[in-house]
Amino acid sequence: QAADSKREQFRRYLEKSGVLDTLTKVLVALYEEPEKPNSALDFLKHHLGVSAPENPETEALRLEVAEMKEKYEAVLEENKKLKTKV
């Protein structure tokens, strides 16, 4: 009976956190696909990634990476110019 109680608690947790609803929506989308994809797992991964809200920290890191790429390109260009002077 303890195992049933744990399962029920876990089910309520999944329901409360929206996991069950999200999984159901993605599985329904897969079911309704006219041409089933070769990899159902890739379909699920893609749709779960798209439907998940963007983490603010992830967005901040994306912006930081973009800034660093710009700085890197500028340093490469400056390095190139300095090498031609030498």
Side-chain angles (χ1 to χ4, degrees):
Q1 189 170 357
D4 287 342
S5 175
K6 280 188 171 186
R7 278 192 209 125
E8 183 58 29
Q9 286 177 349
F10 186 64
R11 188 197 61 75
R12 282 196 304 264
Y13 163 74
L14 292 176
E15 190 174 339
K16 189 186 260 187
S17 63
V19 171
L20 290 179
D21 188 44
T22 301
L23 284 174
T24 301
K25 286 178 184 176
V26 173
L27 290 172
V28 167
L30 177 59
Y31 176 79
E32 292 176 345
E33 276 291 306
E35 287 189 35
K36 303 297 183 241
N38 291 332
S39 172
L41 186 57
D42 286 344
F43 180 92
L44 294 175
K45 286 178 182 178
H46 173 74
H47 282 78
L48 285 173
V50 170
S51 65
E54 184 70 25
N55 182 340
E57 186 177 320
T58 303
E59 183 56 30
L61 289 172
R62 279 185 220 273
L63 291 173
E64 187 177 346
V65 166
E67 278 181 37
M68 293 297 158
K69 283 181 179 179
E70 287 180 27
K71 287 180 182 178
Y72 173 74
E73 293 298 324
V75 168
L76 283 180
E77 189 62 34
E78 181 182 5
N79 189 7
K80 191 175 174 181
K81 288 179 184 176
L82 290 172
K83 280 183 178 180
T84 59
K85 287 183 179 180
V86 172

